[in-house]
Amino acid sequence: MKKWVLIIIVILLLCSGTLWFIQYRYFHVEPLSKSEAINHIEAIYKAHVTQVKKQGDIYEMFFTRDNVKYIAMLDAKTQQVTDLTIKEGQTKLLLTEKQISQMVKQKYGDVESIKLTDTTYTVRVEKENQQKDLTVNAYSGEIVSVENVEPHKPPVEEPIITEQQAIQIALGQLTGEVDSVDFEETAEGGYYLVEIETQDDEATFQIHAVSGEVLSITWDDDQ
């Protein structure tokens, strides 16, 4: 064999050895340990691993997320999840507020408010000045119940009679001169105290400030 052939063979062997060293040194990935596999799955799925089984280089990972139980098959060498299945639990996702709004708007009117409680939405809608509260299944969008909302009626404030009106009422009971007028506020609307003097008598009239009714008449016994 010629000398130059031997040199080429040696060079090729050296190159192969160098490539193998570089690949092992910089690209070789050690198989995941059990704790590393757990951390890997929990980081990927933001879940909690409850059980781990290993068969060869494959980890069988049991984990839960949002009350749903999953099983993931994790290759310890490639760190890839080769299979993911749901073991048990709610498999549907909650409908969003936007989806619920679109579903009820056409039939029931404009959506005023939406509130999620557990697995149901409470949706208040308004159509033709009539409000309704809908109870909606958060998974299926099914309307569970419909209730009419009684319109809020602000309390009617009865007009309070004026001081001059109170004076006229008192003068209608006794002709004389007005000595004083006072107003006392109460939960029932208040009342006026109108004091009337005549040449012979002096009386204080208690007049209801809303109805104008004369509640009492107090005479001055000193006159």
Side-chain angles (χ1 to χ4, degrees), residues 33-210:
S33 66
K34 180 179 177 180
S35 61
E36 290 173 334
I38 292 174
N39 292 335
H40 186 69
I41 291 297
E42 290 185 340
I44 291 176
Y45 296 107
K46 302 295 186 295
H48 173 63
V49 175
T50 57
Q51 186 180 359
V52 180
K53 297 180 181 179
K54 188 177 182 183
Q55 297 178 351
D57 292 327
I58 302 298
Y59 284 106
E60 188 176 13
M61 314 290 293
F62 296 77
F63 66 91
T64 59
R65 175 180 173 178
D66 298 333
N67 296 322
V68 181
K69 296 182 179 180
Y70 298 85
I71 301 176
M73 308 304 290
L74 176 64
D75 190 312
K77 288 185 175 180
T78 64
Q79 302 183 13
Q80 298 295 313
V81 175
T82 59
D83 188 37
L84 179 65
T85 57
I86 296 175
K87 184 180 180 183
E88 60 181 78
Q90 178 57 255
T91 60
K92 295 182 179 179
L93 297 177
L94 289 173
L95 295 171
T96 65
E97 292 185 2
K98 183 178 180 180
Q99 289 173 316
I100 293 294
S101 296
Q102 293 173 342
M103 293 173 68
V104 305
K105 183 176 181 180
Q106 183 174 4
K107 182 176 180 180
Y108 294 98
D110 294 331
V111 175
E112 299 294 320
S113 64
I114 298 180
K115 180 181 179 182
L116 176 64
T117 304
D118 295 329
T119 59
T120 58
Y121 281 104
T122 301
V123 185
R124 175 159 293 186
V125 295
E126 182 173 346
K127 188 174 185 180
E128 297 177 354
N129 297 323
Q130 173 63 55
Q131 289 186 329
K132 298 178 184 292
D133 279 342
L134 312 179
T135 302
V136 186
N137 186 296
Y139 290 107
S140 65
E142 178 186 359
I143 306 298
V144 179
S145 65
V146 180
E147 294 183 4
N148 290 327
V149 178
E150 293 296 328
H152 175 68
K153 296 181 179 179
V156 178
E157 296 184 0
E158 299 184 68
I160 296 177
I161 65 174
T162 65
E163 180 178 305
Q164 189 60 40
Q165 289 173 317
I167 291 173
Q168 294 302 319
I169 293 172
L171 289 175
Q173 301 290 321
L174 178 64
T175 302
E177 293 185 359
V178 177
D179 186 50
S180 65
V181 180
D182 296 309
F183 175 77
E184 298 291 336
E185 186 174 351
T186 66
E188 290 74 27
Y191 58 84
Y192 288 99
L193 294 175
V194 182
E195 189 174 308
I196 303 293
E197 289 186 6
T198 67
Q199 290 183 351
D200 302 320
D201 296 304
E202 181 177 321
T204 301
F205 293 83
Q206 183 185 16
I207 301 172
H208 197 283
V210 175

